[in-house]
Amino acid sequence: GAGVSQSPSNKVTEKGKDVELRCDPISGHTALYWYRQRLGQGLEFLIYFQGNSAPDKSGLPSDRFSAERTGESVSTLTIQRTQQEDSAVYLCASSGLGHLNTEAFFGQGTRLTVV
Amino acid sequence: AQSVAQPEDQVNVAEGNPLTVKCTYSVSGNPYLFWYVQYPNRGLQFLLKYITGDNLVKGSYGFEAEFNKSQTSFHLKKPSALVSDSALYFCAVRGISGTYKYIFGTGTRLKVLA
């Protein structure tokens, strides 16, 4: 597609339920990133994919969080046993790695509300 | 470790006046530097980047930024602010080797007053 697509755009879930967030990156982009943005705050790095592998997942807050990427394309971020503190906007971005295409392009985000 | 600092939580400027949003960085080696803008309930939009070459880089919507290696700064500027420039601005750094993750500053809210 023309841009990074994330689904759903909004998700309300009950505490303790599992949720899956999806990201479709820009076609051909080898790098894919997940960030979390709490209300009124900056971007918190979660995980970075190069192809289908994740060389840096240092930002995942706990073992309730996991992510995978398949076909060097779609990525899913899974949060198990959601807690109210997980409420935030989850942003996905993709980029190339060449010298000329270093900027990351962001999706519109998934707003997760845990009630 | 890479880091980015945006010392101002908010910048107010009158419409038509020049604006500056400050950013300093810390990274091993030569950095890739970026500015992004975020409008309410939207994702981040890329404004401009510094990779190499001229220290003054020009980007979208009339914005420019000046890379200063000795001061490790990458301030965002615009000669004449518009009310529509009011938004949240993020500076980011990415290393050129090793981890390729982007580290973002905490953001600066720009308010342009009519």
Side-chain angles (χ1 to χ4, degrees), chain A residues 30 49-54 68-74:
Chain A
T30 55
F49 285 92
Q50 171 57 31
N52 292 333
S53 63
E68 66 173 13
R69 188 180 184 193
T70 56
E72 296 196 358
S73 180
V74 172

Side-chain angles (χ1 to χ4, degrees), chain B residues 3-48:
Chain B
S3 65
V4 174
Q6 292 183 244
E8 303 153 316
D9 289 336
Q10 181 160 321
V11 169
N12 296 328
V13 63
E15 187 175 31
N17 282 2
L19 69 87
T20 299
V21 182
K22 295 179 181 178
C23 171
T24 59
Y25 66 90
S26 174
V27 64
S28 299
N30 295 318
Y32 289 168
L33 294 160
F34 306 85
W35 275 102
Y36 286 83
V37 60
Q38 186 177 38
Y39 296 99
N41 300 315
R42 303 291 298 274
L44 274 69
Q45 295 179 31
F46 167 73
L47 277 180
L48 52 78

Side-chain angles (χ1 to χ4, degrees), chain A residues 42-57:
Chain A
L43 275 73
E44 178 186 1
F45 169 79
L46 297 178
I47 188 170
Y48 150 65
F49 285 92
Q50 171 57 31
N52 292 333
S53 63
D56 191 340
K57 41 187 166 182

Side-chain angles (χ1 to χ4, degrees), chain A residues 38-93:
Chain A
R38 291 198 167 105
L39 187 63
Q41 298 189 18
L43 275 73
E44 178 186 1
F45 169 79
L46 297 178
I47 188 170
Y48 150 65
F49 285 92
Q50 171 57 31
N52 292 333
S53 63
D56 191 340
K57 41 187 166 182
S58 61
L60 294 177
S62 74
D63 58 7
R64 296 187 295 106
F65 287 72
S66 63
E68 66 173 13
R69 188 180 184 193
T70 56
E72 296 196 358
S73 180
V74 172
S75 176
T76 54
L77 176 68
T78 302
I79 308 174
Q80 296 178 309
R81 306 181 302 280
T82 51
Q83 304 293 314
Q84 288 185 330
E85 68 209 40
D86 300 334
S87 296
V89 175
Y90 290 81
L91 292 165
C92 176

Side-chain angles (χ1 to χ4, degrees), chain A residues 35 37 100 102-104 108, chain B residues 36 38 42 49 99-100 102:
Chain A
Y35 288 85
Q37 186 177 28
L100 297 178
T102 54
E103 61 269 32
Q108 296 300 297
Chain B
Y36 286 83
Q38 186 177 38
R42 303 291 298 274
K49 65 181 178 183
T99 179
Y100 295 105
Y102 298 80

